[in-house]
Amino acid sequence: MSEMPEAMIKINNVSKWYGDFKVLTDCTTSVAKGEVIVVCGPSGSGKSTLIKCVNGLEAFQQGDITVKGISVGDPKTNLPKLRAHVGMVFQHFELFPHMTITDNLSIAQIKVLGRSKDEAHAKTMKLLDRVGLKAHAHKHPGQLSGGQQQRVAIARALCMDPICMLFDEPTSALDPEMVNEVLDVMVQLAKEGMTMMCVTHEMGFARKVSNRVIFMDNGNIVEDATKDDFFGTPRSERAQQFLSKILSH
Amino acid sequence: MFSTFDFSVIVASLPFIWSGLQFTFKLTFVAMTGGIIIGTFLALARLSSIGPLAAAASWYVNIMRSIPLVMVILWFYLVIPLITGKPMGAETSALVTFTAFEAAFFCEIMRAGIQGIPKGQVAAGQAMGFTYSQVMRFVVLPQAFRNMLPVLLTQTIVLFQDTSLVYAIGAKDMLKAAEVAGKNYNRPVEMIIFVAIVYFSLSFALSYVVKRLQKRIAIKR
């Protein structure tokens, strides 16, 4: 990269252990403002753990992560306040099943950001419209399909006006025919300049909108390359194997 | 053999028994609401990462659950006045004892309910910027309470029947009222049969409600 844009997320030599088991080893990377990063790798490689460290949902024992200059690992950091500005989308949607779709989107706006009910409702409707689900506003999550639920989950995160978005395998739990409706929303978001870090196996998405691809194996960042380099000439043998398996059919 | 029974005394003593039943209801209601509220805090304490807090809550629950209720009722009634120097009425003593005792049982129900909420729900709440107490208030407890509602009500049926134990300290509940009325008319057996029918009918009706509720919740999930 010729010029170094402002880094939104900086991950510096992060290591994490579960007891004696090392799940992350000296992970270092960064996500610039407006950049879309895809993190891939075999299951158990630590990619989900790494992304959960970014907003402090998982603790790490070594190294440093900053989001817009704020240290995530610092015990003095107000984590809830930081997380309110970092959107996160989960593999299993994690909508609140006891609330309507509208309440799912509004509650944190009201309770965390202190928006008025009217303000929150207007924003909620705007974002539901954006993901094409305005007609389902009054329903409960259980009444929607997986793809619809995940779109709602994305809208819920966007309601908070996040400075960046984390996606943790957002399409892995979906029926195949529902993957695209979710990816479409993500592609649109990427095109609008949202800073995104996405753990995903959707290589089509990576090719289409990502700037860089990170390949992880065994808790290590094995490859951190531009999209073209990654798909063209992956350096590590492990990444080559992974790509040949995932792209062969 | 029923020819020797005189059930007309029941009608005559209905107002008196009703006043006893009112206390039974009051005791059930206070112990249920107080027990669920305190029990929920106990459950949060038991699940807390703060060691001494979790240990204290766990001790409280285990002690309460290991002593027969009638002992706790007597102990509270007799010992508390010794400590405070003031006699406590049987009714007040019963209300305090039952709330404290039931809290231990409701704690275990709420603990199971809280633990039954997927970790991802907590993570999602945290990711939205919720603090611990907000995650509990808006995400975990409403779901835990809803899932556990049938069990909470079943425990309340047991509680309703157990309130008859305040008989031991002479608090005037339905059983005590029936006993007094039975002595007045010299018809104790009729009275005992009558209150047994009342206990049975109310408990049975409530358990029917629980069954219906379970079905409804099962469909919604």
Side-chain angles (χ1 to χ4, degrees):
Chain A
M1 254 180 277
S2 54
E3 58 189 85
M4 210 40 200
E6 181 195 343
M8 184 65 82
I9 301 167
K10 267 191 200 163
I11 300 173
N12 214 341
N13 281 314
V14 166
S15 295
K16 177 180 172 69
W17 288 261
Y18 283 125
D20 288 337
F21 183 63
K22 201 169 188 184
V23 277
L24 294 176
T25 305
D26 293 330
C27 294
T28 300
T29 188
S30 71
V31 186
K33 191 163 184 283
E35 217 178 4
V36 176
I37 305 288
V38 162
V39 184
C40 61
S43 52
S45 59
K47 49 199 194 308
S48 279
T49 308
L50 181 67
I51 203 170
K52 281 180 182 151
C53 285
V54 172
N55 66 349
L57 286 181
E58 292 274 2
F60 47 92
Q61 286 76 36
Q62 236 171 54
D64 187 38
I65 296 179
T66 58
V67 177
K68 218 179 178 184
I70 300 164
S71 168
V72 177
D74 187 343
K76 277 175 279 181
T77 298
N78 183 344
L79 271 183
K81 199 177 164 193
L82 177 68
R83 288 178 186 137
H85 300 289
V86 178
M88 183 151 200
V89 175
F90 297 86
Q91 183 177 3
H92 296 288
F93 331 134
E94 303 301 350
L95 295 175
F96 305 134
H98 57 300
M99 294 179 195
T100 61
I101 301 303
T102 316
D103 288 344
N104 263 282
L105 269 68
S106 308
I107 185 158
Q109 296 184 61
I110 297 166
K111 304 291 181 188
V112 177
L113 300 182
R115 286 182 187 153
S116 72
K117 276 190 179 151
D118 289 345
E119 221 179 328
H121 188 75
K123 183 93 181 171
T124 295
M125 284 306 165
K126 197 176 133 199
L127 280 157
L128 276 182
D129 195 27
R130 178 186 169 155
V131 297
L133 292 168
K134 209 174 174 180
H136 301 274
H138 60 283
K139 290 187 181 168
H140 279 79
Q143 295 167 278
L144 302 186
S145 72
Q148 289 172 328
Q149 288 193 50
Q150 195 61 300
R151 278 145 68 199
V152 170
I154 295 172
R156 177 174 71 172
L158 292 176
C159 275
M160 305 294 282
D161 292 324
I163 53 174
C164 58
M165 289 281 287
L166 308 173
F167 291 85
D168 185 11
E169 303 207 33
T171 56
S172 309
L174 294 175
D175 287 340
E177 74 262 34
M178 291 173 183
V179 168
N180 280 334
E181 61 184 83
V182 172
L183 288 179
D184 286 346
V185 174
M186 290 170 65
V187 167
Q188 186 60 33
L189 206 55
K191 285 183 175 159
E192 285 168 21
M194 176 62 79
T195 309
M196 293 161 69
M197 188 167 173
C198 315
V199 173
T200 182
H201 291 139
E202 297 295 336
M203 290 301 125
F205 172 79
R207 275 181 200 273
K208 205 164 173 183
V209 294
S210 78
N211 300 103
R212 266 170 40 230
V213 178
I214 289 170
F215 178 79
M216 289 185 73
D217 189 31
N218 263 326
N220 292 281
I221 292 182
V222 179
E223 195 127 352
D224 184 346
T226 63
K227 164 175 66 175
D228 294 337
D229 283 351
F230 183 76
F231 288 112
T233 50
R235 272 167 298 169
S236 67
E237 204 180 315
R238 192 68 189 83
Q240 285 166 16
Q241 279 173 4
F242 180 78
L243 274 178
S244 70
K245 275 179 194 152
I246 209 167
L247 297 176
S248 63
H249 50 82
Chain B
M1 96 187 242
F2 278 93
S3 58
T4 58
F5 284 171
D6 176 9
F7 288 100
S8 66
V9 296
I10 293 169
V11 179
S13 43
L14 269 183
F16 188 66
I17 291 179
W18 168 238
S19 69
L21 182 58
Q22 279 177 308
F23 179 70
T24 298
F25 282 151
K26 183 181 171 188
L27 184 54
T28 306
F29 182 77
V30 169
M32 176 188 73
T33 42
I36 288 176
I37 293 168
I38 299 171
T40 302
F41 281 107
L42 279 172
L44 292 174
R46 276 202 85 166
L47 296 171
S48 150
S49 53
I50 306 164
L53 187 65
S58 161
W59 267 97
Y60 178 84
V61 169
N62 287 329
I63 287 173
M64 279 298 186
R65 295 206 308 162
S66 312
I67 304 174
L69 175 54
V70 72
M71 301 283 298
V72 184
I73 294 169
L74 280 170
W75 186 85
F76 251 75
Y77 184 59
L78 300 173
V79 176
I80 297 294
L82 290 183
I83 297 168
T84 60
K86 268 186 290 185
M88 196 192 254
E91 274 81 15
T92 315
S93 178
L95 289 170
V96 174
T97 310
F98 269 82
T99 305
F101 188 82
E102 291 301 323
F105 287 83
F106 285 124
C107 163
E108 291 304 272
I109 296 171
M110 287 310 290
R111 187 166 70 115
I114 293 167
Q115 284 178 316
I117 303 302
K119 293 241 179 334
Q121 286 283 303
V122 176
Q126 288 176 326
M128 307 290 298
F130 286 154
T131 60
Y132 167 82
S133 68
Q134 285 177 321
V135 168
M136 285 299 155
R137 245 164 63 211
F138 303 134
V139 181
V140 176
L141 289 179
Q143 293 186 62
F145 188 79
R146 195 196 148 86
N147 295 348
M148 288 293 127
L149 198 55
V151 191
L152 291 168
L153 284 176
T154 304
Q155 177 64 27
T156 302
I157 296 172
V158 176
L159 157 66
F160 170 67
Q161 292 167 5
D162 283 352
T163 55
S164 57
L165 289 172
V166 296
Y167 175 87
I169 55 171
K172 199 190 124 191
D173 72 326
M174 179 167 65
L175 181 61
K176 182 76 187 169
E179 194 221 353
V180 170
K183 273 184 183 150
N184 278 349
Y185 293 103
N186 201 22
R187 287 285 173 189
V189 179
E190 286 87 338
M191 288 301 168
I192 296 301
I193 291 173
F194 176 66
V195 291
I197 292 169
V198 175
Y199 277 121
F200 172 81
S201 313
L202 289 171
S203 301
F204 194 78
L206 197 53
S207 51
Y208 178 74
V209 170
V210 172
K211 224 180 225 170
R212 290 285 299 264
L213 201 68
Q214 253 164 341
K215 269 188 196 150
R216 251 191 65 192
I217 290 177
I219 289 166
K220 262 229 150 163
R221 302 219 91 222

